[in-house]
Coordinates of all heavy atoms in Angstrom, one line a residue:
M276 N -5.6 -21.4 -15.9 CA -6.7 -21.1 -15.0 C -6.9 -22.2 -14.0 O -7.0 -23.4 -14.4 CB -8.0 -20.9 -15.8 CG -9.2 -20.4 -15.0 SD -8.9 -18.8 -14.2 CE -10.3 -18.8 -13.1
I277 N -6.9 -21.9 -12.8 CA -7.1 -22.9 -11.7 C -8.5 -23.4 -11.7 O -9.5 -22.6 -11.9 CB -6.6 -22.3 -10.4 CG1 -6.6 -23.4 -9.3 CG2 -7.5 -21.1 -9.9 CD1 -5.9 -23.0 -8.0
Q278 N -8.6 -24.7 -11.4 CA -10.0 -25.3 -11.3 C -10.7 -24.8 -10.0 O -10.1 -24.9 -9.0 CB -9.8 -26.8 -11.3 CG -9.2 -27.4 -12.6 CD -10.1 -27.2 -13.8 OE1 -11.4 -27.3 -13.6 NE2 -9.6 -27.0 -14.9
P279 N -11.9 -24.4 -10.1 CA -12.6 -24.0 -8.9 C -12.7 -25.1 -7.9 O -12.6 -24.8 -6.7 CB -14.0 -23.6 -9.5 CG -13.8 -23.3 -10.9 CD -12.7 -24.1 -11.4
A280 N -12.8 -26.3 -8.3 CA -12.9 -27.4 -7.4 C -11.6 -27.6 -6.6 O -11.7 -27.9 -5.4 CB -13.3 -28.7 -8.1
L281 N -10.5 -27.4 -7.2 CA -9.2 -27.4 -6.6 C -9.1 -26.3 -5.6 O -8.7 -26.5 -4.4 CB -8.1 -27.4 -7.6 CG -6.7 -27.4 -7.1 CD1 -6.4 -28.6 -6.2 CD2 -5.7 -27.3 -8.2
L282 N -9.5 -25.1 -6.0 CA -9.5 -24.0 -5.1 C -10.2 -24.2 -3.8 O -9.8 -23.8 -2.7 CB -10.0 -22.8 -5.9 CG -9.9 -21.4 -5.2 CD1 -8.4 -21.1 -5.0 CD2 -10.5 -20.3 -6.1
E283 N -11.3 -24.9 -3.9 CA -12.2 -25.1 -2.7 C -11.5 -26.0 -1.7 O -11.8 -25.8 -0.5 CB -13.5 -25.8 -3.2 CG -14.5 -24.8 -3.7 CD -15.8 -25.5 -4.0 OE1 -16.1 -26.5 -3.4 OE2 -16.6 -24.9 -4.8
I284 N -10.7 -26.9 -2.1 CA -10.1 -27.8 -1.1 C -8.7 -27.3 -0.6 O -8.2 -27.8 0.4 CB -9.9 -29.2 -1.7 CG1 -9.0 -29.3 -2.9 CG2 -11.3 -29.8 -2.0 CD1 -8.6 -30.7 -3.3
L285 N -8.1 -26.3 -1.3 CA -6.8 -25.8 -0.8 C -7.0 -25.0 0.5 O -7.9 -24.2 0.6 CB -6.2 -25.0 -1.9 CG -5.7 -25.8 -3.1 CD1 -5.2 -24.8 -4.2 CD2 -4.5 -26.7 -2.7
R286 N -6.0 -25.2 1.4 CA -6.0 -24.4 2.6 C -4.6 -24.0 2.9 O -3.6 -24.6 2.5 CB -6.5 -25.3 3.8 CG -7.9 -25.7 3.7 CD -8.9 -24.5 3.9 NE -10.3 -25.0 3.9 CZ -11.0 -25.1 2.8 NH1 -10.5 -24.8 1.6 NH2 -12.3 -25.5 2.9
C287 N -4.4 -22.9 3.7 CA -3.1 -22.4 4.1 C -2.5 -23.5 5.0 O -3.1 -23.9 6.0 CB -3.3 -21.1 4.9 SG -1.7 -20.6 5.6
P288 N -1.3 -24.0 4.6 CA -0.7 -25.1 5.4 C -0.3 -24.7 6.8 O -0.1 -25.6 7.6 CB 0.6 -25.4 4.5 CG 0.8 -24.2 3.7 CD -0.5 -23.6 3.5
V289 N -0.2 -23.4 7.1 CA 0.1 -22.9 8.4 C -1.2 -22.9 9.3 O -1.2 -23.5 10.4 CB 0.7 -21.5 8.4 CG1 1.0 -21.1 9.8 CG2 2.0 -21.6 7.6
C290 N -2.2 -22.3 8.8 CA -3.4 -22.0 9.5 C -4.3 -23.2 9.7 O -5.1 -23.3 10.6 CB -4.2 -20.8 9.0 SG -3.2 -19.3 9.0
I291 N -4.2 -24.2 8.8 CA -5.1 -25.3 8.8 C -4.8 -26.1 10.1 O -5.7 -26.8 10.6 CB -4.8 -26.2 7.6 CG1 -5.9 -27.3 7.5 CG2 -3.4 -26.9 7.6 CD1 -7.3 -26.7 7.2
R292 N -3.7 -25.9 10.7 CA -3.4 -26.6 12.0 C -4.4 -26.2 13.1 O -4.7 -27.0 14.0 CB -2.0 -26.3 12.4 CG -0.9 -26.8 11.5 CD 0.4 -26.3 11.8 NE 1.5 -26.6 10.8 CZ 2.7 -26.1 10.8 NH1 3.0 -25.2 11.7 NH2 3.5 -26.5 9.8
E293 N -4.8 -24.9 13.1 CA -5.6 -24.5 14.2 C -6.9 -23.8 13.8 O -7.8 -23.6 14.6 CB -4.8 -23.5 15.1 CG -3.6 -24.1 15.7 CD -2.8 -23.1 16.6 OE1 -3.2 -22.0 16.7 OE2 -1.8 -23.5 17.1
K294 N -6.9 -23.4 12.5 CA -8.1 -22.6 12.1 C -8.6 -23.2 10.7 O -8.2 -24.3 10.4 CB -7.8 -21.2 11.9 CG -7.2 -20.5 13.2 CD -6.7 -19.1 12.9 CE -6.0 -18.5 14.0 NZ -5.3 -17.3 13.7
D295 N -9.4 -22.4 10.0 CA -9.9 -22.9 8.7 C -8.8 -22.8 7.6 O -8.8 -23.6 6.7 CB -11.1 -22.1 8.3 CG -12.3 -22.4 9.2 OD1 -12.3 -23.5 9.8 OD2 -13.2 -21.6 9.4
G296 N -8.0 -21.7 7.7 CA -7.0 -21.5 6.7 C -7.6 -21.2 5.3 O -7.0 -21.6 4.3
L297 N -8.7 -20.6 5.2 CA -9.4 -20.3 3.9 C -8.5 -19.4 3.1 O -7.9 -18.4 3.6 CB -10.8 -19.8 4.1 CG -11.8 -20.7 4.7 CD1 -13.1 -20.0 5.0 CD2 -12.0 -21.9 3.8
L298 N -8.5 -19.6 1.8 CA -7.8 -18.8 0.9 C -8.7 -18.1 -0.1 O -9.8 -18.6 -0.4 CB -6.8 -19.7 0.1 CG -5.8 -20.5 0.9 CD1 -5.3 -21.7 0.0 CD2 -4.7 -19.6 1.4
H299 N -8.3 -16.9 -0.6 CA -9.0 -16.4 -1.7 C -8.1 -16.0 -2.8 O -6.9 -15.7 -2.6 CB -9.9 -15.2 -1.2 CG -9.1 -14.0 -0.7 ND1 -8.6 -13.8 0.5 CD2 -8.7 -12.8 -1.4 CE1 -7.9 -12.7 0.6 NE2 -8.0 -12.0 -0.5
L300 N -8.7 -16.0 -4.0 CA -7.9 -15.8 -5.2 C -7.7 -14.3 -5.5 O -8.7 -13.6 -5.5 CB -8.6 -16.5 -6.4 CG -7.9 -16.7 -7.7 CD1 -6.6 -17.5 -7.5 CD2 -8.8 -17.3 -8.7
V301 N -6.5 -13.9 -5.8 CA -6.2 -12.5 -6.1 C -5.5 -12.5 -7.4 O -4.5 -13.3 -7.7 CB -5.3 -11.9 -5.0 CG1 -4.8 -10.5 -5.4 CG2 -6.0 -11.8 -3.7
K302 N -5.9 -11.7 -8.3 CA -5.3 -11.5 -9.6 C -5.2 -12.8 -10.4 O -4.3 -12.9 -11.3 CB -3.9 -10.8 -9.5 CG -3.9 -9.4 -8.9 CD -2.5 -8.9 -8.9 CE -2.5 -7.4 -8.3 NZ -1.2 -6.9 -8.3
E303 N -6.0 -13.7 -10.1 CA -6.1 -15.0 -10.8 C -4.8 -15.9 -10.6 O -4.8 -17.0 -11.0 CB -6.2 -14.9 -12.4 CG -7.4 -14.1 -12.8 CD -8.7 -14.8 -12.5 OE1 -8.7 -16.0 -12.8 OE2 -9.7 -14.2 -12.1
T304 N -3.8 -15.3 -9.9 CA -2.5 -16.1 -9.8 C -2.0 -16.1 -8.4 O -0.8 -16.6 -8.2 CB -1.5 -15.4 -10.7 OG1 -1.4 -14.0 -10.5 CG2 -1.7 -15.7 -12.2
W305 N -2.7 -15.7 -7.4 CA -2.3 -15.7 -6.1 C -3.4 -16.2 -5.2 O -4.5 -15.9 -5.3 CB -1.8 -14.3 -5.6 CG -0.6 -13.8 -6.2 CD1 -0.5 -13.1 -7.4 CD2 0.8 -14.0 -5.8 NE1 0.8 -12.9 -7.7 CE2 1.6 -13.4 -6.7 CE3 1.3 -14.7 -4.7 CZ2 3.0 -13.4 -6.5 CZ3 2.7 -14.7 -4.5 CH2 3.5 -14.1 -5.5
L306 N -3.0 -17.1 -4.2 CA -3.9 -17.5 -3.2 C -3.5 -16.8 -1.9 O -2.4 -17.0 -1.4 CB -3.9 -19.0 -3.0 CG -4.5 -19.8 -4.3 CD1 -4.1 -21.3 -4.2 CD2 -6.0 -19.6 -4.4
V307 N -4.4 -16.0 -1.3 CA -4.1 -15.3 -0.1 C -4.9 -15.8 1.1 O -6.1 -16.0 1.0 CB -4.5 -13.8 -0.3 CG1 -4.2 -13.0 1.0 CG2 -3.7 -13.2 -1.5
C308 N -4.2 -16.1 2.2 CA -4.8 -16.6 3.4 C -5.5 -15.5 4.1 O -4.9 -14.5 4.4 CB -3.7 -17.3 4.3 SG -4.4 -17.9 5.8
R309 N -6.7 -15.8 4.5 CA -7.5 -14.8 5.2 C -7.0 -14.6 6.6 O -7.2 -13.6 7.3 CB -9.0 -15.2 5.3 CG -9.7 -15.3 3.9 CD -11.1 -15.8 4.1 NE -11.6 -16.3 2.8 CZ -12.3 -15.5 2.0 NH1 -12.6 -14.3 2.3 NH2 -12.8 -16.0 0.9
E310 N -6.4 -15.6 7.2 CA -6.0 -15.6 8.6 C -4.6 -14.9 8.8 O -4.5 -14.0 9.6 CB -5.9 -17.0 9.1 CG -7.0 -17.9 8.7 CD -8.2 -18.0 9.7 OE1 -8.3 -17.1 10.6 OE2 -9.0 -19.0 9.6
C311 N -3.6 -15.3 8.1 CA -2.3 -14.9 8.3 C -1.7 -14.0 7.3 O -0.7 -13.4 7.5 CB -1.3 -16.1 8.5 SG -1.1 -17.0 7.0
G312 N -2.4 -13.9 6.1 CA -1.9 -13.0 5.1 C -0.8 -13.6 4.2 O -0.2 -12.9 3.4
R313 N -0.4 -14.8 4.5 CA 0.6 -15.4 3.6 C -0.1 -15.5 2.2 O -1.3 -15.7 2.0 CB 1.0 -16.8 4.0 CG 1.9 -16.8 5.3 CD 2.3 -18.2 5.7 NE 3.3 -18.1 6.8 CZ 2.9 -18.0 8.1 NH1 1.6 -17.9 8.4 NH2 3.8 -17.9 9.0
K314 N 0.8 -15.4 1.2 CA 0.3 -15.4 -0.2 C 1.1 -16.5 -1.0 O 2.3 -16.5 -1.1 CB 0.5 -14.0 -0.8 CG -0.3 -13.0 0.0 CD 0.1 -11.6 -0.4 CE -0.7 -10.6 0.4 NZ -0.1 -10.5 1.8
Y315 N 0.3 -17.4 -1.6 CA 0.9 -18.5 -2.3 C 0.7 -18.3 -3.8 O -0.4 -18.1 -4.3 CB 0.2 -19.8 -1.9 CG 0.4 -20.0 -0.4 CD1 -0.6 -19.6 0.5 CD2 1.5 -20.6 0.2 CE1 -0.5 -19.7 1.9 CE2 1.6 -20.8 1.5 CZ 0.6 -20.3 2.4 OH 0.8 -20.5 3.7
P316 N 1.8 -18.4 -4.6 CA 1.7 -18.1 -6.0 C 1.1 -19.4 -6.8 O 1.3 -20.5 -6.3 CB 3.1 -17.9 -6.5 CG 4.0 -18.6 -5.5 CD 3.2 -18.6 -4.2
I317 N 0.4 -19.1 -7.9 CA 0.0 -20.2 -8.8 C 0.9 -20.0 -10.0 O 0.8 -19.0 -10.7 CB -1.5 -20.1 -9.1 CG1 -2.3 -20.1 -7.9 CG2 -1.9 -21.2 -10.1 CD1 -3.8 -19.8 -8.1
T318 N 1.8 -21.0 -10.2 CA 2.7 -20.9 -11.4 C 2.3 -22.0 -12.3 O 2.3 -23.2 -11.9 CB 4.2 -20.9 -11.0 OG1 4.4 -22.2 -10.3 CG2 4.5 -19.8 -10.0
E319 N 2.1 -21.7 -13.6 CA 1.7 -22.6 -14.6 C 0.5 -23.5 -14.1 O 0.6 -24.7 -14.3 CB 2.9 -23.5 -15.0 CG 4.0 -22.7 -15.6 CD 5.3 -23.5 -16.0 OE1 5.3 -24.7 -15.7 OE2 6.2 -22.9 -16.5
D320 N -0.4 -22.8 -13.5 CA -1.7 -23.5 -13.1 C -1.5 -24.4 -11.9 O -2.4 -25.1 -11.5 CB -2.4 -24.3 -14.2 CG -2.9 -23.4 -15.3 OD1 -3.1 -22.2 -15.0 OD2 -3.1 -23.8 -16.4
I321 N -0.3 -24.4 -11.3 CA 0.0 -25.2 -10.1 C 0.1 -24.3 -8.9 O 1.0 -23.5 -8.8 CB 1.3 -26.0 -10.2 CG1 1.4 -26.7 -11.6 CG2 1.5 -27.0 -9.1 CD1 0.4 -27.9 -11.7
P322 N -0.8 -24.5 -7.9 CA -0.6 -23.7 -6.7 C 0.6 -24.2 -5.9 O 0.7 -25.4 -5.7 CB -1.9 -24.0 -5.9 CG -2.9 -24.6 -6.9 CD -2.0 -25.3 -7.9
V323 N 1.4 -23.3 -5.5 CA 2.6 -23.6 -4.8 C 2.4 -23.4 -3.3 O 2.5 -22.3 -2.7 CB 3.8 -22.8 -5.2 CG1 5.1 -23.2 -4.5 CG2 4.0 -22.9 -6.7
M324 N 2.0 -24.4 -2.6 CA 1.5 -24.3 -1.2 C 2.7 -24.6 -0.2 O 2.6 -25.5 0.7 CB 0.3 -25.3 -0.9 CG -0.8 -25.1 -1.9 SD -1.4 -23.4 -2.0 CE -2.0 -23.2 -0.4
L325 N 3.8 -23.9 -0.4 CA 4.9 -24.0 0.5 C 4.9 -22.9 1.5 O 4.8 -21.7 1.1 CB 6.2 -24.0 -0.3 CG 6.4 -25.1 -1.4 CD1 7.7 -24.8 -2.2 CD2 6.5 -26.4 -0.7
I326 N 5.1 -23.3 2.8 CA 5.1 -22.3 3.8 C 6.2 -21.2 3.6 O 5.9 -20.0 3.7 CB 5.3 -22.9 5.2 CG1 4.1 -23.8 5.5 CG2 5.5 -21.9 6.3 CD1 4.2 -24.7 6.8
E327 N 7.3 -21.6 3.2 CA 8.4 -20.7 3.0 C 8.1 -19.7 1.8 O 8.5 -18.6 1.8 CB 9.8 -21.4 2.7 CG 9.8 -22.2 1.4 CD 11.1 -22.9 1.2 OE1 11.6 -23.5 2.2 OE2 11.6 -22.9 0.1
E328 N 7.4 -20.2 0.9 CA 6.9 -19.3 -0.2 C 5.9 -18.3 0.2 O 5.9 -17.2 -0.1 CB 6.4 -20.2 -1.4 CG 6.3 -19.5 -2.7 CD 7.7 -19.0 -3.2 OE1 8.7 -19.6 -2.9 OE2 7.7 -17.9 -3.8
G329 N 4.9 -18.8 1.0 CA 3.9 -17.9 1.6 C 4.5 -16.9 2.5 O 4.1 -15.7 2.5
D330 N 5.6 -17.2 3.2 CA 6.2 -16.3 4.1 C 6.8 -15.1 3.4 O 6.8 -14.0 3.9 CB 7.4 -17.0 4.8 CG 6.9 -17.9 6.0 OD1 5.8 -17.7 6.4 OD2 7.7 -18.7 6.5
K331 N 7.3 -15.3 2.2 CA 8.0 -14.3 1.4 C 7.1 -13.1 1.1 O 7.5 -12.0 0.9 CB 8.5 -14.8 0.0 CG 9.6 -15.8 0.1 CD 10.0 -16.1 -1.4 CE 11.0 -17.3 -1.4 NZ 11.2 -17.7 -2.9
W332 N 5.8 -13.4 1.1 CA 4.8 -12.3 0.6 C 3.9 -11.8 1.6 O 3.0 -11.1 1.3 CB 4.0 -12.9 -0.6 CG 4.9 -13.5 -1.7 CD1 5.3 -14.8 -1.8 CD2 5.6 -12.8 -2.7 NE1 6.1 -14.9 -2.9 CE2 6.3 -13.7 -3.4 CE3 5.6 -11.4 -3.0 CZ2 7.1 -13.3 -4.5 CZ3 6.4 -11.0 -4.1 CH2 7.1 -11.9 -4.8
V333 N 4.1 -12.2 2.9 CA 3.3 -11.7 4.0 C 3.1 -10.2 4.0 O 2.0 -9.7 4.2 CB 3.8 -12.2 5.3 CG1 3.0 -11.5 6.5 CG2 3.5 -13.7 5.5
A334 N 4.3 -9.5 3.8 CA 4.3 -8.1 4.0 C 3.9 -7.3 2.7 O 3.8 -6.1 2.6 CB 5.6 -7.6 4.4
T335 N 3.7 -8.1 1.6 CA 3.4 -7.5 0.3 C 1.9 -7.3 0.2 O 1.1 -8.2 0.4 CB 3.9 -8.4 -0.8 OG1 5.3 -8.6 -0.7 CG2 3.6 -7.7 -2.2
A336 N 1.5 -6.1 -0.1 CA 0.0 -5.8 -0.3 C -0.5 -6.5 -1.5 O 0.2 -6.8 -2.5 CB -0.2 -4.3 -0.5
E337 N -1.8 -6.9 -1.5 CA -2.3 -7.6 -2.6 C -2.2 -6.9 -3.9 O -1.9 -7.5 -4.9 CB -3.8 -7.9 -2.3 CG -4.1 -8.9 -1.2 CD -5.5 -9.2 -1.0 OE1 -6.4 -8.8 -1.8 OE2 -5.9 -9.9 0.0
D338 N -2.3 -5.6 -3.8 CA -2.2 -4.8 -5.1 C -0.8 -4.8 -5.6 O -0.6 -4.5 -6.8 CB -2.6 -3.3 -4.8 CG -4.1 -3.2 -4.6 OD1 -4.8 -4.1 -5.0 OD2 -4.5 -2.1 -4.2
D339 N 0.2 -5.1 -4.8 CA 1.6 -5.1 -5.2 C 2.1 -6.4 -5.7 O 3.3 -6.6 -6.0 CB 2.5 -4.5 -4.1 CG 2.2 -3.1 -3.8 OD1 1.7 -2.4 -4.7 OD2 2.4 -2.6 -2.7
L340 N 1.3 -7.5 -5.6 CA 1.8 -8.8 -6.0 C 2.1 -8.8 -7.5 O 1.3 -8.3 -8.3 CB 0.7 -9.8 -5.7 CG 0.4 -10.1 -4.2 CD1 -0.8 -10.9 -4.0 CD2 1.6 -10.7 -3.5
P341 N 3.2 -9.4 -7.8 CA 3.6 -9.4 -9.3 C 2.8 -10.4 -10.0 O 2.5 -11.5 -9.5 CB 5.1 -9.8 -9.2 CG 5.3 -10.5 -7.9 CD 4.3 -9.9 -7.0
V342 N 2.4 -10.1 -11.3 CA 1.7 -11.0 -12.2 C 2.5 -11.0 -13.5 O 2.7 -10.0 -14.1 CB 0.3 -10.5 -12.4 CG1 -0.4 -11.4 -13.4 CG2 -0.5 -10.5 -11.1
P343 N 2.9 -12.2 -13.9 CA 2.8 -13.4 -13.2 C 3.8 -13.5 -12.0 O 4.7 -12.7 -12.0 CB 3.2 -14.5 -14.3 CG 4.1 -13.8 -15.2 CD 3.7 -12.3 -15.2
P344 N 3.5 -14.4 -11.1 CA 4.5 -14.6 -10.0 C 5.8 -15.0 -10.5 O 6.0 -15.6 -11.5 CB 3.8 -15.7 -9.2 CG 2.4 -15.8 -9.6 CD 2.4 -15.4 -11.1
P345 N 6.9 -14.5 -9.8 CA 8.2 -14.9 -10.2 C 8.4 -16.4 -10.1 O 7.8 -17.1 -9.3 CB 9.1 -14.2 -9.1 CG 8.2 -13.8 -8.0 CD 6.8 -13.7 -8.6
A346 N 9.3 -16.9 -10.9 CA 9.6 -18.3 -11.0 C 10.2 -18.8 -9.6 O 10.9 -18.0 -9.0 CB 10.6 -18.7 -12.1
I347 N 9.9 -20.0 -9.2 CA 10.4 -20.5 -8.0 C 11.6 -21.5 -8.3 O 11.5 -22.3 -9.2 CB 9.3 -21.3 -7.3 CG1 8.2 -20.2 -6.8 CG2 9.9 -22.0 -6.0 CD1 6.9 -20.9 -6.5
D348 N 12.7 -21.3 -7.6 CA 13.9 -22.1 -7.8 C 13.6 -23.6 -7.4 O 13.0 -23.8 -6.3 CB 15.0 -21.6 -7.0 CG 15.4 -20.2 -7.5 OD1 15.2 -19.9 -8.7 OD2 15.9 -19.4 -6.7
Ligands
ZN401 ZN1 -2.5 -18.8 6.9

């Protein structure tokens, strides 16, 4: 389970450059950017805030996100 305090300070690494980049938690294991729709997996309680990882899931609907997220190489 991700710490609420950590969740509060995390931002989308793309949108933070020009906007707020606020994220919201989906299915307890995904952080979804409100601005661009990138989705960052939380694996083993660690949020993976990589742009390339967020890019992979832009077109995936929130309902279709896999739980748990697939392992990252
Ligand atoms: Zn974003």
